[in-house]
Amino acid sequence: MMYMRISRVFRWTIRIFLLVFTLSLSAVSLLGGFSAMTIFDPSVQNINIPDGDITSNFDITNPSAMYINVPYNISNPGVYDLTNITLSFQVYLTYGNASTPLNETTTVIIFDKEELIGTIAHGDFLKSNFTGTASDGFIIDNLPDPLTEVDWYRTPYALEFHASLKFSASYSLNLYTFKVNIINFPAGHYP
């Protein structure tokens, strides 16, 4: 008889512990979700990429002088750290390929770089620049030969540049992971 009472008390203790544990995890998850929404509030603009003018030199006739500079500003007004922040940037070049029989339009990736930013503590911000140079991010081997491969009479522009941006991060003790992609954003043209 005494043995049954001890086992019953033990079972009720375990049940109460599991209930409290489940409720606390649910509360952390729910509050983390509401807190994450404060980061993406469109009226506050906590994630600004770009945060100003993008400066670049896409002169394919002088590849060693090519560069890109994208300013960004990321604020974390939430209650948890923003972790595993990664920013990647690609630039595509579209041109008329004069080395093909019909001057077919060709698109190549001329810049591809990923940067692990890391962690931004709650209540903190990071204002920096995403940069790339000819030796750091640009894929020089993908550039067409400007004398033999580029159709300089192509309309509306001989060279067109488009960018793609990927931003990803984790939040609320890594319970939430999100990614934002901007694809085929016009990045310039020549001439």
Side-chain angles (χ1 to χ4, degrees), residues 4 13 20 43 56 73 75 81 87 130 136 140 147 167 172:
M4 287 184 68
T13 304
V20 169
S43 64
S56 62
N73 184 2
S75 298
D81 291 349
L87 184 62
F130 184 89
D136 181 29
I140 304 299
L147 299 176
F167 173 80
S172 183

Side-chain angles (χ1 to χ4, degrees), residues 63-160:
S64 63
M66 294 177 81
Y67 70 88
I68 189 165
N69 183 30
V70 181
Y72 63 88
N73 184 2
I74 303 169
S75 298
N76 182 5
V79 296
Y80 297 105
D81 291 349
L82 199 56
T83 60
N84 303 322
I85 302 171
T86 304
L87 184 62
S88 67
F89 203 77
Q90 294 83 30
V91 176
Y92 301 88
L93 166 63
T94 301
Y95 64 99
N97 194 339
S99 65
T100 61
L102 300 174
N103 288 349
E104 291 145 3
T105 300
T106 303
T107 301
V108 294
I109 298 175
I110 62 167
F111 180 81
D112 188 9
K113 184 177 177 182
E114 182 174 279
E115 184 176 308
L116 178 63
I117 297 171
T119 300
I120 299 176
H122 65 91
D124 206 356
F125 70 95
L126 174 64
K127 188 172 181 78
S128 188
N129 293 307
F130 184 89
T131 59
T133 61
S135 61
D136 181 29
F138 278 92
I139 307 168
I140 304 299
D141 293 339
N142 286 356
L143 293 176
D145 185 339
L147 299 176
T148 61
E149 292 183 295
V150 177
D151 176 10
W152 293 104
Y153 300 105
R154 178 178 178 262
T155 56
Y157 305 107
L159 305 174
E160 296 178 44

Side-chain angles (χ1 to χ4, degrees), residues 17-31:
F17 171 75
L18 289 175
L19 177 65
V20 169
F21 183 69
T22 304
L23 290 175
S24 66
L25 283 179
S26 297
V28 166
S29 179
L30 186 64
L31 293 174

